[in-house]
Each structure stands twice: as C-alpha cells, then as structure tokens.
C-alpha cells in the first residue's frame, strides 16, 4: 500500500477522497487523430524482440526495460563526460494534469505513454508530434488508493494492452488507437482496480490487482492476448494454509512481537477470512524464460493495521512469490514480514540478476528493494534468502506494535523503497534504489470488513516537525554493502534508470530530473521540469541519436506539484 503526503496527518483523508471516484478529473472528448499526423507503418513487435529487449539500445519495449527488469539502457552515447551538455528536445503536454507514474515504451521511433485516468498517447518519439490519443470510457464505479495513476502499456505485435481504474484490461490497435477488445478483470465495487502496466509474454497478458486497503483477495491473472480470454489465475491468498508457519521473526531475524497463542485461538474460531485478506500485486513481475517462471511481490494484508481479525502469517502477503508462467502453479514463496501490521509490504518490482551466493559462487538470483530499507537477494531456483543489504535508511524501534494512541517506528509506512522500481547495472553490479525517510507513528483501531470500502484498521501519522528526506542508495548485490548514497531534500518516489554511459537518472518531487555518476554518486546534470519528476525514466535511440524521457506530473501520494508534461532530452547536434 501507499501512504500520502506529510500535509495529511491521516491517510484516511486522502484515500476517502479517491474511493469510489465517479470519473476523470478533466473530461477530454473523443479519441483518434487530432491532426494530420498519422502512423504510416504499423508497429509489429515479435516475441523475439520482447525476449531480447534488454540487449539492444534502439527501442524501450517493456516498462522496466526487459523481462529481467534491470531498467538498464546499454547505449552510451550520453555518458559521464558529456551529460552536462544534455538539453531538452521537446516537452509534450498531455490534457491530464494529475499524478504521473508512467514509463513510456518506444517502438521504431513511436512512443506510447499513459496518464492518470487511463489516457494513452502515441507520439513521434523525436519531436513529440501527436499521432493519436485514446481516453478510456471509465465505468461508473472506481475504487482506488493514492491517486488515479497508470504506469504504462505493454505491446505485442501491433497491439497495446492497458489495465484500467475500473478493473478492466483493454487492447488497442497500436497504429490507430482504436479499441480491439476489453475484458473485466474483477469487480471495482469490491475494491479492485488497475494501475500497473501489464506484462506480455508468449501470447499471455499478465496483470495483478490493487485493493489491499479494501479487503480484496489478491491475484495474478493471465489473459489470451488475442481476445482477452482468461487463461489462469493465481490467488495470492490460498484458501487453505494462509496461516503459514507462525513465524516469530522477520526475514532478517528480528522478533516481530506477535502473540501467537492468541492468534491460534482466533484462527480456530474463524479461518474463512481469506476472501478479504488483501495481498494485491500492483507492479510488474519479472519473467525467467529459461525456467518458465514469473516472480512478483505481494502487498499488504487487509486491514493494514488491525491484525486481530486475520490471525496467522497471512500468506502470501509481504512475500516474493514464484509461479509457473504457463499454468500459474505455485513454485515457491519467501515472506519478508509475517502478519504485517505496519503496511511495510513488498511492492518494488523484482529484478533478475546473477549474484554470488554465500560460498562466492555466482548463481541465478532475484532481488527486491523493500519498504524496510533492505535489498533482499534470493536464490532464483528455491527462493532461499542469500543475503539482505545494509539498511539504506534509518530503522528505529522495530517491530513495535501499533497502539490506539500511536507508536513510533522507523521506517514509516511508505518505506524505504515504495513502488519505485530499482535499476541494476551489469557494469557496476550495483542496484540503485530510491528511498524515503518519513518518521511516522502507527495507530490501530478495531474494525470489521466494510464491504469493499476503505479498511485500514487504524492510521499512519506523519510526525510533525521531524525532517523528511530521500536517499538514492547504490547496493552491491554480491556483498549487500552500500557502495554510495546520495541524499535529497525530499522523499524519493518514482523509478531509476541506469545506462551504459555509467549514469543513473532519477527525479524528485521538486521537479529536478537528475543524472548521477553510477560509479560514485556524483551529481553530473540536472534540469527542473516544473512539476514533480516522479514517473519512471526511459532511454531509446532513433536514427542513431540517444534520447532520455521522463514524465513530470507530480505525485498524489506525496502531494508533489502536479503537471502534465513529458520531457525528452538529447545531446545537441
């Protein structure tokens, strides 16, 4: 789950403002071309192109660069020696001034970007000229947390795929923007919604769900990319066995102060709450094509803070999970926090890397940046935790239990690493993680399932007068050591991008879009784009020229300045 701005003391205020929102903030009429420009040649993205997306430097075909989700662009035309000359090429302004968390994809010089409220734009990636604009016809009921966000589209062949706030999956013609089909994923009246970008692989469109604050039962589903027919569903809350092993400690070995005898008594009286136990999956899975396995992280249990109504470990919430790509069958899980009552769930998307195990042998691994402030490194075959990193941000008073009057604990409920995707550079072997430091107190309040309405079981309260800040941390995945850190004036939320030019790009809520030296964290370049730079940067090339793009629309969750601009940069000719 995501927690809002320090301006709001109580998360309920913001969440309620968006629950059951009837429609878009701004009405945009019509769809289709708004000018003479048209896409002449329809995109045709093959599975081979998707498989090898992270091995080339022309297109940006996946939200996170490739199935491994490195968010690494291998080109080096823009590098540490010349990035100071980087200049804006164009600013594209959408018609939706709202929180922007998208990652555009780029195919043969055509860019596809999304905005809040499920708008899609097709642009000339070198000039920003608009080809077409699609606006989703939103249903009467939408129920979502922390802003009307959308994080992008997926592409396969000549089709685009997008999840919507009213819990639908939509397929569009990439040449014209016309809708080809749509299918209902889940019931928005029960708290289900979609903000993540789908992932497409081998004719399957993979997508999870939001709703951990509304008592949903989380899942990942696969749909046929040709017609939207459902292929399989993996529920993140099993109907049997969700009590787990009654873990006393978290993944790092610290005691979580659970009253396990009381929980067992409660479970004996009622074990049928799995239908409302939460466990949303709202960021992309990583895909291992060799083992035909997908890896994803699962969000918080419902309700967030009141654990008395959900005894047990609440599997598979707050976990990394591996399932079979072709069948959706369970392979393994590794839980970071059992019976979470702090909303420190697992959100930032997993990354596939090779990393040294305890003996020093290089093995296939999968990593995750946690709200706890650790980067976790797992054996990809078994899920066994190989190591966890040094804490990237301050930790204090863990795991004190929430109280009616509030208990102080660091990190706050936003983390650590929120949904922000990390980047990984194979050159430096470092993972680059955007962190927040927001001191909070945790408050618990009893409450029964309200039928698809907001269900927190308490609140998270930002501590007035205590400084908040952000930190971009570089973590060596082979040792877990922090190689360097770069502190910022505001908490960080958004994505990171690493490049073959030894750069790390990221944005801040004050509008600064920055490039650091990936080897040492030195600030090399910055540009203020006028509104919160809180989307996910990407890079691509057209006719041999490298570009870097970043969405600057601010962020609802942290109340960073709203805008409606996509900023694109390149070196001067």
């Amino acid at each position: 789950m995501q927690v809002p701005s320090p301006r709001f003391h109580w998360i309920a205020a913001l969440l309620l403002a968006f629950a059951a929102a009837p429609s878009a903030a701004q009405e945009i009429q019509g769809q289709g071309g708004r000018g003479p420009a048209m896409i002449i040649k329809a995109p045709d993205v093959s599975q081979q192109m998707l498989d090898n997306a992270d091995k080339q430097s022309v297109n940006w075909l996946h939200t996170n660069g490739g199935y491994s989700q490195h968010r690494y662009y291998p080109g080096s035309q823009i590098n540490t020696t010349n990035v100071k000359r980087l200049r804006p090429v164009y600013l594209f302004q959408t018609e939706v001034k709202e929180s922007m968390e998208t990652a555009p994809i780029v195919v043969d010089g055509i860019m596809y970007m999304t905005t809040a409220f499920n708008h899609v734009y097709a642009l000339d990636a070198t000039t920003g000229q608009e080809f077409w604009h699609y606006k989703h016809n939103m249903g009467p009921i939408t129920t979502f947390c922390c802003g009307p966000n959308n994080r992008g589209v997926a592409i396969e062949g000549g089709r685009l795929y997008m999840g919507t706030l009213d819990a639908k999956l939509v397929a569009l013609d990439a040449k014209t923007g016309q809708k080809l089909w749509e299918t209902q994923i889940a019931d928005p009246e029960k708290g289900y919604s979609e903000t993540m970008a789908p992932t497409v692989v081998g004719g399957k469109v993979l997508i999870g769900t939001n709703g951990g604050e509304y008592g949903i039962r989380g899942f990942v589903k696969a749909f046929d990319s040709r017609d939207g027919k459902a292929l399989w569903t993996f529920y993140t809350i099993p109907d049997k066995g969700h009590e787990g092993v009654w873990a006393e400690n978290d993944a790092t070995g610290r005691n979580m102060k659970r009253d396990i005898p009381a929980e067992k008594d409660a479970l004996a009286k009622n074990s049928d709450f799995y239908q409302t136990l939460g466990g949303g999956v709202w960021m992309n899975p990583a895909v291992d094509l060799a083992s035909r396995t997908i890896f994803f992280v699962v969000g918080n249990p419902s309700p967030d803070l009141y654990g008395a109504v959900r005894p047990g470990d609440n599997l598979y919430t707050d976990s990394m999970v591996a399932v079979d790509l072709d069948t959706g069958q369970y392979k393994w899980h590794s839980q970071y926090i059992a019976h979470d009552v702090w909303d420190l769930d697992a959100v930032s998307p997993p990354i596939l890397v090779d990393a040294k195990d305890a003996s020093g042998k290089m093995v296939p691994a999968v990593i995750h940046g946690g709200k706890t402030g650790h980067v976790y490194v797992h054996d990809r075959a078994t899920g066994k935790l190989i190591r966890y990193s040094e804490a990237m941000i301050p930790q204090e008073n863990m795991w004190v239990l929430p109280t009616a009057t509030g208990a102080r604990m660091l990190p706050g409920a936003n983390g650590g690493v929120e949904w922000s995707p990390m980047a990984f550079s194979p050159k430096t072997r470092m993972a680059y993680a955007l962190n927040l430091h927001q001191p909070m107190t945790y408050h618990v309040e009893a409450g029964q399932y309200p039928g698809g309405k907001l269900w927190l079981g308490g609140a998270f309260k930002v501590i007035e007068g205590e400084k908040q800040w952000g930190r971009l941390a570089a973590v060596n995945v082979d040792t877990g050591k922090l190689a360097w850190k770069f502190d910022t004036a505001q908490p960080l939320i958004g994505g990171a991008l690493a490049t073959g030019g030894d750069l790390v790009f990221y944005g801040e809520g004050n509008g600064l879009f920055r490039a650091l030296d990936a080897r040492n964290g030195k600030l090399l370049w910055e540009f203020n784009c006028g509104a919160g730079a809180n989307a996910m940067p990407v890079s691509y090339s057209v006719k041999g020229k490298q570009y870097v793009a970043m969405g600057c629309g601010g962020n609802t969750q942290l109340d960073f300045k709203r805008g409606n601009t996509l900023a694109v940069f390149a070196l001067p000719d």
Side-chain angles (χ1 to χ4, degrees):
M1 173 197 161
Q2 311 163 62
V3 186
S5 160
R7 291 186 186 181
F8 298 89
H9 289 178
W10 298 90
I11 188 170
L14 179 63
L15 296 175
L16 284 171
F18 286 101
S23 188
Q26 301 179 11
E27 288 298 326
I28 299 172
Q29 299 300 318
Q31 62 183 49
R34 298 171 68 85
M38 296 177 62
I39 296 174
I40 304 301
K41 182 182 178 182
D44 185 10
V45 178
S46 67
Q47 185 59 47
Q48 184 179 22
M49 292 171 67
L50 292 172
D51 292 349
N52 297 311
D54 50 5
K55 299 180 179 63
Q56 50 81 48
S57 57
V58 175
N59 298 317
W60 188 271
L61 295 178
H62 299 266
T63 299
N64 293 316
Y67 289 129
S68 294
Q69 306 206 115
H70 287 181
R71 295 199 62 74
Y72 176 78
Y73 175 79
S76 59
Q77 186 178 92
I78 302 169
N79 54 54
T80 55
T81 63
N82 60 22
V83 69
K84 61 186 177 185
R85 298 170 52 221
L86 205 58
R87 297 289 185 273
V89 177
Y90 64 87
L91 303 175
F92 177 78
Q93 293 186 313
T94 76
E95 298 181 41
V96 183
K97 188 177 179 181
E98 219 347 315
S99 186
M100 189 180 288
E101 298 184 354
T102 191
I105 63 171
V106 179
V107 185
D108 298 334
I110 304 168
M111 174 184 288
Y112 299 97
M113 67 165 292
T114 64
T115 73
F117 295 110
N118 294 119
H119 292 239
V120 185
Y121 289 88
L123 312 174
D124 183 320
T126 66
T127 66
Q129 185 173 27
E130 182 181 318
F131 293 129
W132 53 257
H133 168 206
Y134 168 84
K135 173 188 176 183
H136 177 61
N137 184 19
M138 202 74 72
I141 299 295
T142 55
T143 308
F144 50 86
C145 168
C146 308
N149 297 299
N150 183 272
R151 301 190 183 88
V153 294
I155 189 167
E156 178 194 62
R159 294 178 175 181
L160 303 172
Y161 303 93
M162 176 175 66
T164 67
L165 291 174
D166 54 354
K168 293 178 179 176
L169 179 63
V170 177
L172 305 178
D173 186 311
K175 183 178 180 181
T176 66
Q178 296 299 309
K179 185 169 68 178
L180 300 174
W181 54 257
E182 72 175 27
T183 190
Q184 192 74 49
I185 298 173
D187 185 352
E189 199 159 1
K190 293 183 177 178
Y192 294 88
S193 65
E194 299 292 346
T195 57
M196 67 181 285
T199 296
V200 184
V201 54
K204 299 180 184 65
V205 186
L206 307 174
I207 194 164
T209 184
N210 292 26
E213 289 63 61
Y214 300 92
I216 55 109
R217 183 189 186 191
F219 56 73
V220 173
K221 293 177 181 281
F223 294 91
D224 192 315
S225 63
R226 296 167 299 183
D227 54 16
K229 180 181 178 182
L231 299 176
W232 55 253
T233 299
F234 174 84
Y235 286 106
T236 59
I237 308 296
D239 52 359
K240 302 290 184 184
H242 49 75
E243 67 273 21
V245 297
W246 304 100
E248 296 182 354
N249 300 328
D250 73 355
T252 68
R254 286 172 288 194
N255 188 275
M256 293 180 292
K257 302 179 175 60
R258 294 175 64 182
D259 187 346
I260 289 179
E263 288 187 44
K264 288 184 175 179
D265 287 344
L267 185 71
K269 297 173 183 173
N270 178 24
S271 62
D272 294 334
F273 50 86
Y274 68 93
Q275 295 279 12
T276 59
L277 190 46
V281 177
W282 43 284
M283 295 299 286
N284 296 78
V287 182
D288 186 340
L289 296 168
S291 65
R292 308 294 294 175
T293 306
I294 65 171
F295 304 85
F296 53 86
V297 286
V298 182
N300 55 280
S302 301
D304 300 52
L305 296 107
Y306 181 50
V309 293
R310 49 174 175 80
D313 293 351
N314 304 150
L315 294 178
Y316 303 107
T317 63
D318 292 24
S319 300
M320 173 92 74
V321 179
V323 308
D324 186 286
L325 168 61
D326 298 306
T327 65
Q329 293 297 305
Y330 168 91
K331 288 193 172 183
W332 56 255
H333 78 275
S334 179
Q335 191 172 39
Y336 302 109
I337 305 166
H339 195 75
D340 178 13
V341 290
W342 307 271
D343 192 31
L344 290 180
D345 54 330
V347 192
S348 180
I351 300 176
L352 306 184
V353 301
D354 288 338
K356 291 181 180 177
D357 67 9
S359 69
K361 179 184 176 183
M362 197 70 79
V363 299
V366 54
I367 67 175
H368 163 64
K371 279 188 173 181
T372 54
H374 297 290
V375 173
Y376 300 92
V377 181
H378 301 262
D379 185 305
R380 203 185 305 170
T382 64
K384 180 182 178 182
L385 186 62
I386 296 173
R387 67 178 58 84
Y388 56 92
S389 74
E390 297 177 83
M392 295 181 285
I393 54 162
Q395 297 176 335
E396 179 184 320
N397 212 20
M398 296 177 80
W399 298 95
V400 66
L401 296 174
T403 66
T405 55
R408 174 191 170 91
M409 187 181 88
L410 304 180
N414 279 325
V417 184
E418 241 284 354
W419 60 266
S420 310
M422 298 190 300
F424 172 76
S425 170
K427 292 179 67 177
T428 64
R429 300 203 51 73
M430 295 179 198
Y432 302 97
L434 276 61
N435 285 267
L436 308 95
H437 173 71
Q438 287 186 299
M440 290 185 182
T441 51
Y442 292 82
H443 304 248
V444 65
E445 181 180 353
Q448 301 302 311
Y449 174 61
K453 303 297 190 298
L454 184 65
W455 192 29
L456 298 180
F460 321 94
K461 187 176 181 180
V462 173
I463 301 175
E464 288 289 340
E466 292 208 22
K467 186 177 180 181
Q468 302 180 28
W469 43 266
R471 173 171 291 165
L472 200 165
V475 175
N476 185 311
V477 300
D478 295 320
T479 65
K481 301 293 185 183
L482 267 63
W484 54 260
K485 55 189 179 183
F486 182 87
D487 289 350
T488 61
Q490 295 178 307
L492 293 180
I493 194 165
L497 170 72
T499 76
D502 286 327
L503 297 168
V504 177
F505 289 93
Y506 80 99
E508 299 183 18
N510 53 18
L512 287 173
F513 183 42
R514 285 175 154 171
L516 308 183
D517 190 320
R519 298 164 299 188
N520 54 35
K522 181 181 178 182
L523 176 62
L524 300 177
W525 172 86
E526 66 183 22
F527 177 89
N528 196 313
C529 55
N534 303 118
M536 297 181 275
V538 305
S539 191
Y540 57 94
S541 70
V542 181
K543 296 180 180 179
K545 189 178 185 69
Q546 182 184 351
Y547 299 84
V548 179
M550 179 60 157
C552 300
N555 183 270
T556 298
Q557 183 178 345
L558 298 184
D559 200 24
F560 290 142
K561 182 181 178 182
R562 309 300 197 278
N564 61 343
T565 301
L566 178 82
V568 178
F569 305 85
L571 296 172
D573 294 327

